[in-house]
Amino acid sequence: MGAFDWKVIVDNFSFLMRGLGMTFQLAIIATIGGLVLGTLVGMARISSRFYIYYPATVFVNILRSIPLILVIFWFYFLVPIIAGRPLGDFLSATIAFVIFEASYFAEIIRAGIQSIPKGQMQAAYSTALNYRQMMQYVIIPQAFRNMIPSLLTQAIIIFQDTSLAYVIGLKEFLRSASIVDAREVRSLELYTFVGIVYFLICLTMSTVVKRWEAKKGKMR
Amino acid sequence: MSEKDVIIEIKGLSKWFGKFKVLDNINEVIHRTQVIVVCGPSGSGKSTFCKCLNGLEEFQEGDIVIDGISLKDPKTDLIKLRQRIGMVFQRFELYPHMTALQNITLAPLKVKKVSSKDAEKKAMALLERVGIPEQAGKYPGNLSGGQQQRVAIARALAMEPEIMLFDEPTSALDPEMIKEVLDVMIDLAKSGMTMVVVTHEMGFAREVADEIIFMDQGRIVERGTDKSFFSNPQSDRAKEFLNKILF
């Protein structure tokens, strides 16, 4: 193989970008879905009722103890058996990601809520707010501010994790590059390009996180 | 005072944290407009006692009856009862993400569902009453400790409670700010509010307390009026305690 030939990128640009679009789609759904499910699980983790606390804790501990790639495989092979029909690679990857990421978000949310001093809860209760009002107006808004850096960091990790959907044949960014590579045999150029794109996107997102933390530091 | 005037009745109240007995058979009757000062060494259970009165802390034995409503009764609606009992905390516990005004209007808006115009008008009147109307738009982080505690008092008063609980309201304050908070509390006491105040501020106790309760190891060791308690304490523990805090 001679010198770098970037023509392969130009020639297949729209195909690669479709892959990147798929990566974004999966990452965004996984982040939003994981955040919603994770918030519920995180709140369940601090419940004083054992029948709420216990299943949530089992869910979190199991999912955080197995590799994501295994979860992706499971949903790809297992869910069609339960559902009785194949789900397709995108849907099965989406479900796997939402459930897996929810377990990580749940811990961020739980820690965020627990970082708020107990006195805040007592103050809210003492003015006759109920549990929902206390959470909604007093605890969650404060907890959320503390959590934003961790949540954004997790979103960056999700963005990178989506490349694992490669294993079930989902045509996300990395898979698209490997498809082009199979045809054109330009591994070095393709994977360098993929790496640079991942790097630039993640760098941008982590700069946003750092800015936020600096701004938050100033507010105190 | 007649039987009818009883607003809080505490009967054989006991509470454990695990195996540790924090409250041991507390009995007390409080009448409307009375000011009760609770003092005692740290760890004597006085804060826990105070938090039992509005159900922030659960108890295992005995009962607390507030204006005929039993806290032991599982059917008692604590949310409804708490509308009638305001509370002020040692560390203020203002909501840091809300302005002073928003801190005060939150419960009236969400619990009593008053209009925002009425809630704000009332909140401004309360800030006026505690002497800091000009701080309405500030966040707690930009207020002094004394100002924060006065906002906290206004927040509790916004629900128009019949009883006010104070859990060491001046212990977290710098000395020069204690007076401004005590002045507000003295005004409140003189206006006829029923108050239970956990404090070591004996000047305050002298001025407005109808009864002083001295607690030690979860028990009420001694009780008296301000005069009898200060001039002639009966128990050794109370004598020792008074010696320590008065000099």
Side-chain angles (χ1 to χ4, degrees):
Chain A
M1 200 158 56
F4 272 77
D5 180 6
W6 296 107
K7 196 168 164 292
V8 63
I9 309 295
V10 180
D11 288 348
N12 295 286
F13 194 72
S14 69
F15 181 77
L16 289 169
M17 285 306 110
R18 268 204 300 280
L20 186 61
M22 177 64 90
T23 288
F24 266 110
Q25 212 178 325
L26 183 57
I28 290 168
I29 296 173
T31 304
I32 295 171
L35 193 56
V36 171
L37 184 61
T39 303
L40 296 176
V41 176
M43 286 173 72
R45 286 266 288 143
I46 49 172
S47 171
S48 54
R49 292 175 202 152
F50 77 95
Y51 55 87
I52 296 176
Y53 162 83
Y54 208 74
T57 303
V58 169
F59 172 85
V60 166
N61 284 334
I62 288 181
L63 279 157
R64 282 168 62 99
S65 307
I66 47 180
L68 173 57
I69 200 158
L70 208 58
V71 180
I72 295 170
F73 271 137
W74 267 349
F75 277 92
Y76 189 63
F77 293 115
L78 230 116
V79 174
I81 294 170
I82 299 165
R85 63 187 179 85
L87 290 179
D89 44 16
F90 184 71
L91 189 57
S92 123
T94 305
I95 295 171
F97 271 94
V98 166
I99 288 179
F100 184 82
E101 300 301 343
S103 71
Y104 282 82
F105 278 127
E107 286 301 90
I108 295 173
I109 306 265
R110 178 192 58 75
I113 291 173
Q114 285 180 333
S115 73
I116 306 304
K118 203 179 161 209
Q120 289 285 304
M121 186 183 85
Q122 293 190 332
Y125 275 148
S126 79
T127 59
L129 263 59
N130 61 30
Y131 179 82
R132 186 190 59 73
Q133 292 166 332
M134 184 251 325
M135 277 294 178
Q136 183 179 348
Y137 302 116
V138 178
I139 306 296
I140 303 270
Q142 291 185 61
F144 206 71
R145 279 185 202 195
N146 297 347
M147 287 183 294
I148 281 180
S150 308
L151 295 176
L152 287 173
T153 305
Q154 189 62 29
I156 295 171
I157 295 171
I158 293 175
F159 181 73
Q160 296 171 354
D161 279 354
T162 52
S163 60
L164 289 173
Y166 171 100
V167 295
I168 55 168
L170 184 72
K171 279 190 203 140
E172 43 69 61
F173 193 35
L174 183 61
R175 180 87 190 176
S176 306
S178 88
I179 291 169
V180 176
D181 185 37
R183 197 171 57 224
E184 313 242 359
V185 201
R186 281 281 169 195
S187 307
L188 214 52
E189 291 85 346
L190 281 161
Y191 293 125
T192 306
F193 174 71
V194 169
I196 291 170
V197 171
Y198 271 113
F199 173 75
L200 288 178
I201 291 168
C202 292
L203 183 72
T204 311
M205 292 205 287
S206 66
T207 309
V208 171
V209 177
K210 283 206 190 86
R211 289 248 170 95
W212 176 275
E213 282 184 319
K215 202 174 125 201
K216 205 182 79 173
K218 265 186 230 152
M219 285 195 309
R220 296 247 158 120
Chain B
M1 268 183 247
S2 74
E3 198 60 17
K4 212 173 66 185
D5 287 329
V6 171
I7 187 158
I8 304 177
E9 195 178 358
I10 300 146
K11 297 184 273 197
L13 178 70
S14 291
K15 174 182 173 65
W16 286 260
F17 281 133
K19 281 186 176 165
F20 178 66
K21 199 168 191 179
V22 267
L23 295 177
D24 188 357
N25 192 27
I26 306 272
N27 291 284
E28 175 69 12
V29 176
I30 300 168
H31 295 82
R32 260 180 224 281
T33 77
Q34 270 194 325
V35 176
I36 310 295
V37 163
V38 184
C39 60
S42 63
S44 60
K46 50 196 193 307
S47 253
T48 308
F49 167 68
C50 193
K51 284 177 181 163
C52 280
L53 295 179
N54 65 349
L56 284 184
E57 291 278 3
E58 294 176 340
F59 50 89
Q60 285 82 34
E61 265 176 27
D63 197 6
I64 297 170
V65 181
I66 308 227
D67 200 19
I69 302 161
S70 156
L71 258 69
K72 189 178 65 180
D73 185 348
K75 283 187 298 246
T76 293
D77 184 350
L78 275 180
I79 302 291
K80 218 168 166 184
L81 189 64
R82 285 181 186 139
Q83 293 190 31
R84 304 170 59 187
I85 309 172
M87 183 157 194
V88 174
F89 298 83
Q90 182 175 358
R91 305 213 59 92
F92 329 131
E93 302 301 350
L94 292 178
Y95 313 132
H97 59 302
M98 296 182 192
T99 63
L101 194 76
Q102 289 167 333
N103 264 276
I104 300 170
T105 56
L106 179 68
L109 286 173
K110 303 301 174 189
V111 180
K112 287 196 166 170
K113 316 269 184 210
V114 302
S115 72
S116 56
K117 201 179 136 207
D118 288 348
E120 276 173 28
K121 208 171 126 193
K122 168 107 201 193
M124 280 313 296
L126 284 166
L127 282 172
E128 200 90 45
R129 183 170 172 186
V130 299
I132 43 172
E134 72 284 358
Q135 311 292 352
K138 286 200 188 159
Y139 286 88
N142 297 326
L143 298 175
S144 73
Q147 291 169 335
Q148 287 191 57
Q149 195 61 301
R150 286 189 279 164
V151 173
I153 293 172
R155 175 176 68 181
L157 289 175
M159 293 298 282
E160 299 178 326
E162 295 157 53
I163 302 165
M164 282 286 282
L165 309 175
F166 293 83
D167 181 15
E168 302 208 33
T170 57
S171 343
L173 294 176
D174 291 333
E176 72 270 22
M177 291 169 187
I178 292 177
K179 190 176 174 293
E180 64 189 52
V181 172
L182 287 181
D183 283 346
V184 170
M185 291 168 60
I186 289 167
D187 274 353
L188 197 58
K190 288 182 173 163
S191 76
M193 178 66 75
T194 308
M195 291 162 68
V196 176
V197 185
V198 176
T199 187
H200 290 165
E201 291 298 332
M202 292 300 127
F204 171 81
R206 273 210 180 93
E207 189 157 351
V208 294
D210 294 292
E211 188 181 37
I212 298 173
I213 293 175
F214 177 74
M215 284 181 70
D216 191 29
Q217 298 183 334
R219 292 192 202 106
I220 296 181
V221 180
E222 184 155 343
R223 68 180 86 213
T225 63
D226 60 315
K227 286 184 189 69
S228 71
F229 182 70
F230 289 117
S231 58
N232 190 19
Q234 301 298 311
S235 63
D236 290 340
R237 286 187 188 285
K239 279 178 200 160
E240 203 181 306
F241 175 76
L242 282 173
N243 271 331
K244 268 186 200 147
I245 60 161
L246 293 179
F247 302 105

